[in-house]
Amino acid sequence: MTRATGSVRRRQLPSTDELRVWREYIETAERLRSRLAARLQAESSLSIGDYQVLLALSEARPRALRSSELAATIGWERSRLSHHLGRMERRDLVRRDECATDNRGAEISLTDTGERAFRAATVPHLRAVREVFVDAFTAPQLDHLAAATGALRSHLAESDS
Amino acid sequence: MTRATGSVRRRQLPSTDELRVWREYIETAERLRSRLAARLQAESSLSIGDYQVLLALSEARPRALRSSELAATIGWERSRLSHHLGRMERRDLVRRDECATDNRGAEISLTDTGERAFRAATVPHLRAVREVFVDAFTAPQLDHLAAATGALRSHLAESDS
DNA sequence: CACCTCTCATTGACATATCAACGATATGCC
DNA sequence: GGCATATCGTTGATATGTCAATGAGAGGTG
């Protein structure tokens, strides 16, 4: 799996090995997501999205966030968040109030139900993360994975601009 | 980021570092998926799912697959595939025919349109994989990533049983 | 104030994913 | 053959994700 040292510009397409790494990476990440989602759903009746929203709200000080701030925190489009908040509101997990300083705005906060649901979900979810993800690796592997993930993350961020 | 060498059973929850690796891994994988999906859509008017289906069908010999075989090949639930094939059929990308040897069954094959769409999509998509994924890493990083992915994959497969 | 432009959050339309239930057929066993 | 059971693929309901369009209001500038 070494790279050609010659003219790089000619190598337009991934090699077979590179392609295999790509396929395994994306498939494995997807299975992981799906496994964690299933556990979270079974143990706490929450989706990954629910958990992200509840986590961000529970860490917010004060205990409310503008909808855009929440979207930025968890990296969602505002539209996506709006739809999701509608579903969470129906289940009494969050509340939407008018914003005092901006009449367009919405202040999102946890309901008691939402706070209880998040508290009850946290430990089982973290345990699942350890069992399903962390325990898969040796310590050096986890370090290597962190480095590779960082490189990928930077690469994606660069090509944003 | 070394592990405690003592009683492992007591460490139930991930450490802060482990949790950060987890979050970055899952977020980066998701951004990567989304980036590739956007490019495939822009360059070829296909979704990732479309591409997976077309790829499996174009590699099939003979040029048709039973719906369950196709589902197994790409690792989808049959229900998911059935819905997706319905949408692809509306766009004239695939065809469903009755199966000669099993009256319950469906034989899925590419239409000419589907074959052309897949041919046209392949090179741009592979180039995108190289640019967005492969080019992010040094050669050793890619090897390390492959190893870690393999470990995770095995770990997930183990806990299936 | 009047106007223009930007931002905020929502909405509708549609694609995608999951789950349970279903009708039709195949298969094994008597 | 006749029955029990398993498999095949589909469907409907619902949740989730993306995009474009929208109405309401904020903010700057004249």
Side-chain angles (χ1 to χ4, degrees), chain A residues 66 68 78-79 82-83 96 104:
Chain A
R66 294 293 298 273
S68 323
R78 274 179 312 168
S79 161
S82 185
H83 284 299
R96 285 194 258 212
R104 296 166 304 182

mmCIF file of all heavy atoms in Angstrom, chain A residues 66 68 78-79 82-83 96 104, chain C residues 7-13 18:
data_model
loop_
_atom_site.group_PDB
_atom_site.id
_atom_site.type_symbol
_atom_site.label_atom_id
_atom_site.label_comp_id
_atom_site.label_asym_id
_atom_site.label_seq_id
_atom_site.Cartn_x
_atom_site.Cartn_y
_atom_site.Cartn_z
ATOM 1 N N ARG A 66 -30.935 29.748 21.752
ATOM 2 C CA ARG A 66 -31.607 30.122 20.530
ATOM 3 C C ARG A 66 -31.522 28.954 19.566
ATOM 4 O O ARG A 66 -30.536 28.209 19.570
ATOM 5 C CB ARG A 66 -30.918 31.347 19.917
ATOM 6 C CG ARG A 66 -31.043 32.599 20.737
ATOM 7 C CD ARG A 66 -32.481 33.049 20.749
ATOM 8 N NE ARG A 66 -32.906 33.371 19.389
ATOM 9 C CZ ARG A 66 -32.757 34.555 18.813
ATOM 10 N NH1 ARG A 66 -32.243 35.555 19.488
ATOM 11 N NH2 ARG A 66 -33.165 34.744 17.580
ATOM 12 N N SER A 68 -30.822 28.860 16.467
ATOM 13 C CA SER A 68 -29.611 28.875 15.621
ATOM 14 C C SER A 68 -28.374 28.477 16.398
ATOM 15 O O SER A 68 -27.491 27.819 15.852
ATOM 16 C CB SER A 68 -29.350 30.267 15.052
ATOM 17 O OG SER A 68 -30.526 30.895 14.733
ATOM 18 N N ARG A 78 -30.548 24.534 10.062
ATOM 19 C CA ARG A 78 -31.653 24.993 10.892
ATOM 20 C C ARG A 78 -32.969 24.292 10.554
ATOM 21 O O ARG A 78 -33.785 24.002 11.425
ATOM 22 C CB ARG A 78 -31.825 26.511 10.764
ATOM 23 C CG ARG A 78 -30.924 27.267 11.722
ATOM 24 C CD ARG A 78 -31.093 28.750 11.567
ATOM 25 N NE ARG A 78 -31.041 29.121 10.148
ATOM 26 C CZ ARG A 78 -31.380 30.300 9.689
ATOM 27 N NH1 ARG A 78 -31.762 31.238 10.522
ATOM 28 N NH2 ARG A 78 -31.299 30.564 8.408
ATOM 29 N N SER A 79 -33.126 24.007 9.281
ATOM 30 C CA SER A 79 -34.349 23.326 8.888
ATOM 31 C C SER A 79 -34.464 21.948 9.536
ATOM 32 O O SER A 79 -35.514 21.569 10.067
ATOM 33 C CB SER A 79 -34.378 23.194 7.368
ATOM 34 O OG SER A 79 -35.275 22.195 6.980
ATOM 35 N N SER A 82 -35.342 22.358 13.103
ATOM 36 C CA SER A 82 -36.722 22.771 13.309
ATOM 37 C C SER A 82 -37.669 21.575 13.226
ATOM 38 O O SER A 82 -38.551 21.400 14.077
ATOM 39 C CB SER A 82 -37.102 23.815 12.259
ATOM 40 O OG SER A 82 -38.388 24.316 12.506
ATOM 41 N N HIS A 83 -37.477 20.747 12.209
ATOM 42 C CA HIS A 83 -38.291 19.539 12.105
ATOM 43 C C HIS A 83 -38.092 18.646 13.323
ATOM 44 O O HIS A 83 -39.045 18.125 13.889
ATOM 45 C CB HIS A 83 -37.899 18.755 10.849
ATOM 46 C CG HIS A 83 -38.420 19.343 9.575
ATOM 47 N ND1 HIS A 83 -39.765 19.496 9.309
ATOM 48 C CD2 HIS A 83 -37.784 19.828 8.489
ATOM 49 C CE1 HIS A 83 -39.930 20.032 8.111
ATOM 50 N NE2 HIS A 83 -38.740 20.252 7.592
ATOM 51 N N ARG A 96 -40.423 25.240 23.261
ATOM 52 C CA ARG A 96 -40.034 26.408 22.480
ATOM 53 C C ARG A 96 -40.736 27.625 23.044
ATOM 54 O O ARG A 96 -41.973 27.662 23.091
ATOM 55 C CB ARG A 96 -40.439 26.226 21.008
ATOM 56 C CG ARG A 96 -39.540 25.275 20.252
ATOM 57 C CD ARG A 96 -39.739 25.379 18.769
ATOM 58 N NE ARG A 96 -40.552 24.286 18.259
ATOM 59 C CZ ARG A 96 -40.419 23.755 17.037
ATOM 60 N NH1 ARG A 96 -39.528 24.242 16.201
ATOM 61 N NH2 ARG A 96 -41.181 22.766 16.647
ATOM 62 N N ARG A 104 -38.192 37.421 16.237
ATOM 63 C CA ARG A 104 -38.198 36.318 15.282
ATOM 64 C C ARG A 104 -37.844 35.013 15.957
ATOM 65 O O ARG A 104 -38.174 33.927 15.474
ATOM 66 C CB ARG A 104 -37.143 36.553 14.184
ATOM 67 C CG ARG A 104 -37.391 37.735 13.322
ATOM 68 C CD ARG A 104 -36.143 38.047 12.547
ATOM 69 N NE ARG A 104 -34.998 38.256 13.424
ATOM 70 C CZ ARG A 104 -33.791 38.587 13.002
ATOM 71 N NH1 ARG A 104 -33.545 38.718 11.707
ATOM 72 N NH2 ARG A 104 -32.829 38.785 13.854
ATOM 73 P P DT C 7 -26.821 37.387 6.662
ATOM 74 O OP1 DT C 7 -25.476 37.288 7.273
ATOM 75 O OP2 DT C 7 -27.189 36.554 5.510
ATOM 76 O "O5'" DT C 7 -27.899 37.144 7.804
ATOM 77 C "C5'" DT C 7 -27.969 38.029 8.899
ATOM 78 C "C4'" DT C 7 -29.109 37.614 9.813
ATOM 79 O "O4'" DT C 7 -30.379 37.915 9.192
ATOM 80 C "C3'" DT C 7 -29.130 36.119 10.146
ATOM 81 O "O3'" DT C 7 -29.231 35.994 11.553
ATOM 82 C "C2'" DT C 7 -30.363 35.599 9.403
ATOM 83 C "C1'" DT C 7 -31.259 36.830 9.398
ATOM 84 N N1 DT C 7 -32.275 36.891 8.310
ATOM 85 C C2 DT C 7 -33.593 37.092 8.641
ATOM 86 O O2 DT C 7 -33.983 37.226 9.791
ATOM 87 N N3 DT C 7 -34.454 37.150 7.567
ATOM 88 C C4 DT C 7 -34.136 37.036 6.232
ATOM 89 O O4 DT C 7 -34.991 37.105 5.360
ATOM 90 C C5 DT C 7 -32.738 36.819 5.949
ATOM 91 C C7 DT C 7 -32.271 36.668 4.538
ATOM 92 C C6 DT C 7 -31.879 36.766 6.992
ATOM 93 P P DC C 8 -29.343 34.574 12.259
ATOM 94 O OP1 DC C 8 -28.755 34.725 13.605
ATOM 95 O OP2 DC C 8 -28.866 33.529 11.325
ATOM 96 O "O5'" DC C 8 -30.911 34.387 12.419
ATOM 97 C "C5'" DC C 8 -31.624 35.226 13.324
ATOM 98 C "C4'" DC C 8 -33.013 34.668 13.501
ATOM 99 O "O4'" DC C 8 -33.728 34.879 12.275
ATOM 100 C "C3'" DC C 8 -33.031 33.164 13.762
ATOM 101 O "O3'" DC C 8 -33.641 32.917 15.024
ATOM 102 C "C2'" DC C 8 -33.817 32.567 12.599
ATOM 103 C "C1'" DC C 8 -34.516 33.752 11.980
ATOM 104 N N1 DC C 8 -34.620 33.731 10.481
ATOM 105 C C2 DC C 8 -35.858 33.923 9.864
ATOM 106 O O2 DC C 8 -36.862 34.100 10.565
ATOM 107 N N3 DC C 8 -35.917 33.934 8.513
ATOM 108 C C4 DC C 8 -34.815 33.762 7.790
ATOM 109 N N4 DC C 8 -34.925 33.782 6.457
ATOM 110 C C5 DC C 8 -33.543 33.561 8.404
ATOM 111 C C6 DC C 8 -33.491 33.544 9.741
ATOM 112 P P DA C 9 -33.456 31.479 15.687
ATOM 113 O OP1 DA C 9 -33.722 31.636 17.130
ATOM 114 O OP2 DA C 9 -32.200 30.856 15.215
ATOM 115 O "O5'" DA C 9 -34.674 30.678 15.023
ATOM 116 C "C5'" DA C 9 -35.987 31.128 15.304
ATOM 117 C "C4'" DA C 9 -36.970 30.534 14.331
ATOM 118 O "O4'" DA C 9 -36.620 30.911 12.987
ATOM 119 C "C3'" DA C 9 -37.061 29.007 14.322
ATOM 120 O "O3'" DA C 9 -38.251 28.635 15.006
ATOM 121 C "C2'" DA C 9 -37.040 28.636 12.822
ATOM 122 C "C1'" DA C 9 -37.215 29.979 12.116
ATOM 123 N N9 DA C 9 -36.544 30.085 10.826
ATOM 124 C C8 DA C 9 -35.203 29.940 10.569
ATOM 125 N N7 DA C 9 -34.872 30.113 9.309
ATOM 126 C C5 DA C 9 -36.083 30.376 8.687
ATOM 127 C C6 DA C 9 -36.422 30.647 7.345
ATOM 128 N N6 DA C 9 -35.536 30.685 6.352
ATOM 129 N N1 DA C 9 -37.733 30.875 7.068
ATOM 130 C C2 DA C 9 -38.626 30.832 8.079
ATOM 131 N N3 DA C 9 -38.427 30.589 9.376
ATOM 132 C C4 DA C 9 -37.127 30.366 9.607
ATOM 133 P P DT C 10 -38.797 27.114 14.914
ATOM 134 O OP1 DT C 10 -39.739 26.961 16.037
ATOM 135 O OP2 DT C 10 -37.678 26.185 14.708
ATOM 136 O "O5'" DT C 10 -39.660 27.151 13.563
ATOM 137 C "C5'" DT C 10 -40.577 28.233 13.381
ATOM 138 C "C4'" DT C 10 -41.285 28.101 12.055
ATOM 139 O "O4'" DT C 10 -40.350 28.328 10.982
ATOM 140 C "C3'" DT C 10 -41.920 26.736 11.793
ATOM 141 O "O3'" DT C 10 -43.318 26.953 11.595
ATOM 142 C "C2'" DT C 10 -41.203 26.211 10.553
ATOM 143 C "C1'" DT C 10 -40.695 27.490 9.904
ATOM 144 N N1 DT C 10 -39.475 27.376 9.082
ATOM 145 C C2 DT C 10 -39.538 27.635 7.735
ATOM 146 O O2 DT C 10 -40.572 27.930 7.164
ATOM 147 N N3 DT C 10 -38.341 27.518 7.068
ATOM 148 C C4 DT C 10 -37.101 27.197 7.617
ATOM 149 O O4 DT C 10 -36.103 27.144 6.922
ATOM 150 C C5 DT C 10 -37.103 26.943 9.032
ATOM 151 C C7 DT C 10 -35.829 26.597 9.727
ATOM 152 C C6 DT C 10 -38.275 27.042 9.684
ATOM 153 P P DT C 11 -44.287 25.672 11.517
ATOM 154 O OP1 DT C 11 -45.627 26.129 11.920
ATOM 155 O OP2 DT C 11 -43.638 24.536 12.186
ATOM 156 O "O5'" DT C 11 -44.310 25.364 9.946
ATOM 157 C "C5'" DT C 11 -44.850 26.333 9.058
ATOM 158 C "C4'" DT C 11 -44.634 25.907 7.624
ATOM 159 O "O4'" DT C 11 -43.230 25.936 7.323
ATOM 160 C "C3'" DT C 11 -45.122 24.493 7.283
ATOM 161 O "O3'" DT C 11 -46.258 24.603 6.442
ATOM 162 C "C2'" DT C 11 -43.922 23.832 6.582
ATOM 163 C "C1'" DT C 11 -42.995 24.999 6.298
ATOM 164 N N1 DT C 11 -41.533 24.713 6.346
ATOM 165 C C2 DT C 11 -40.780 24.904 5.222
ATOM 166 O O2 DT C 11 -41.242 25.275 4.169
ATOM 167 N N3 DT C 11 -39.429 24.641 5.376
ATOM 168 C C4 DT C 11 -38.786 24.215 6.534
ATOM 169 O O4 DT C 11 -37.581 24.023 6.547
ATOM 170 C C5 DT C 11 -39.642 24.040 7.674
ATOM 171 C C7 DT C 11 -39.048 23.590 8.969
ATOM 172 C C6 DT C 11 -40.952 24.287 7.535
ATOM 173 P P DG C 12 -47.097 23.322 6.068
ATOM 174 O OP1 DG C 12 -48.472 23.789 5.838
ATOM 175 O OP2 DG C 12 -46.811 22.240 7.046
ATOM 176 O "O5'" DG C 12 -46.471 22.890 4.663
ATOM 177 C "C5'" DG C 12 -46.338 23.881 3.641
ATOM 178 C "C4'" DG C 12 -45.791 23.243 2.395
ATOM 179 O "O4'" DG C 12 -44.346 23.141 2.502
ATOM 180 C "C3'" DG C 12 -46.288 21.830 2.107
ATOM 181 O "O3'" DG C 12 -46.474 21.719 0.696
ATOM 182 C "C2'" DG C 12 -45.173 20.938 2.629
ATOM 183 C "C1'" DG C 12 -43.933 21.798 2.362
ATOM 184 N N9 DG C 12 -42.825 21.596 3.281
ATOM 185 C C8 DG C 12 -42.886 21.334 4.625
ATOM 186 N N7 DG C 12 -41.712 21.231 5.191
ATOM 187 C C5 DG C 12 -40.819 21.432 4.151
ATOM 188 C C6 DG C 12 -39.400 21.434 4.145
ATOM 189 O O6 DG C 12 -38.630 21.249 5.096
ATOM 190 N N1 DG C 12 -38.890 21.680 2.873
ATOM 191 C C2 DG C 12 -39.649 21.894 1.761
ATOM 192 N N2 DG C 12 -38.979 22.122 0.628
ATOM 193 N N3 DG C 12 -40.977 21.902 1.743
ATOM 194 C C4 DG C 12 -41.490 21.659 2.973
ATOM 195 P P DA C 13 -46.999 20.351 0.076
ATOM 196 O OP1 DA C 13 -47.974 20.742 -0.954
ATOM 197 O OP2 DA C 13 -47.373 19.408 1.155
ATOM 198 O "O5'" DA C 13 -45.702 19.779 -0.658
ATOM 199 C "C5'" DA C 13 -44.919 20.644 -1.473
ATOM 200 C "C4'" DA C 13 -43.716 19.891 -1.988
ATOM 201 O "O4'" DA C 13 -42.688 19.889 -0.973
ATOM 202 C "C3'" DA C 13 -44.009 18.420 -2.330
ATOM 203 O "O3'" DA C 13 -43.374 18.096 -3.555
ATOM 204 C "C2'" DA C 13 -43.416 17.661 -1.153
ATOM 205 C "C1'" DA C 13 -42.248 18.565 -0.764
ATOM 206 N N9 DA C 13 -41.833 18.453 0.632
ATOM 207 C C8 DA C 13 -42.636 18.325 1.728
ATOM 208 N N7 DA C 13 -41.975 18.243 2.861
ATOM 209 C C5 DA C 13 -40.648 18.329 2.480
ATOM 210 C C6 DA C 13 -39.451 18.310 3.210
ATOM 211 N N6 DA C 13 -39.395 18.189 4.533
ATOM 212 N N1 DA C 13 -38.299 18.414 2.521
ATOM 213 C C2 DA C 13 -38.356 18.532 1.184
ATOM 214 N N3 DA C 13 -39.417 18.568 0.384
ATOM 215 C C4 DA C 13 -40.548 18.456 1.110
ATOM 216 P P DT C 18 -31.742 1.901 8.512
ATOM 217 O OP1 DT C 18 -30.686 1.874 9.522
ATOM 218 O OP2 DT C 18 -31.698 1.013 7.343
ATOM 219 O "O5'" DT C 18 -33.128 1.684 9.260
ATOM 220 C "C5'" DT C 18 -33.485 2.573 10.303
ATOM 221 C "C4'" DT C 18 -34.784 2.125 10.935
ATOM 222 O "O4'" DT C 18 -35.888 2.481 10.083
ATOM 223 C "C3'" DT C 18 -34.891 0.605 11.154
ATOM 224 O "O3'" DT C 18 -35.290 0.408 12.502
ATOM 225 C "C2'" DT C 18 -35.952 0.158 10.148
ATOM 226 C "C1'" DT C 18 -36.807 1.414 10.024
ATOM 227 N N1 DT C 18 -37.545 1.562 8.744
ATOM 228 C C2 DT C 18 -38.857 1.941 8.783
ATOM 229 O O2 DT C 18 -39.469 2.134 9.816
ATOM 230 N N3 DT C 18 -39.456 2.081 7.556
ATOM 231 C C4 DT C 18 -38.883 1.895 6.312
ATOM 232 O O4 DT C 18 -39.523 2.051 5.283
ATOM 233 C C5 DT C 18 -37.503 1.504 6.343
ATOM 234 C C7 DT C 18 -36.771 1.272 5.062
ATOM 235 C C6 DT C 18 -36.902 1.363 7.543
#
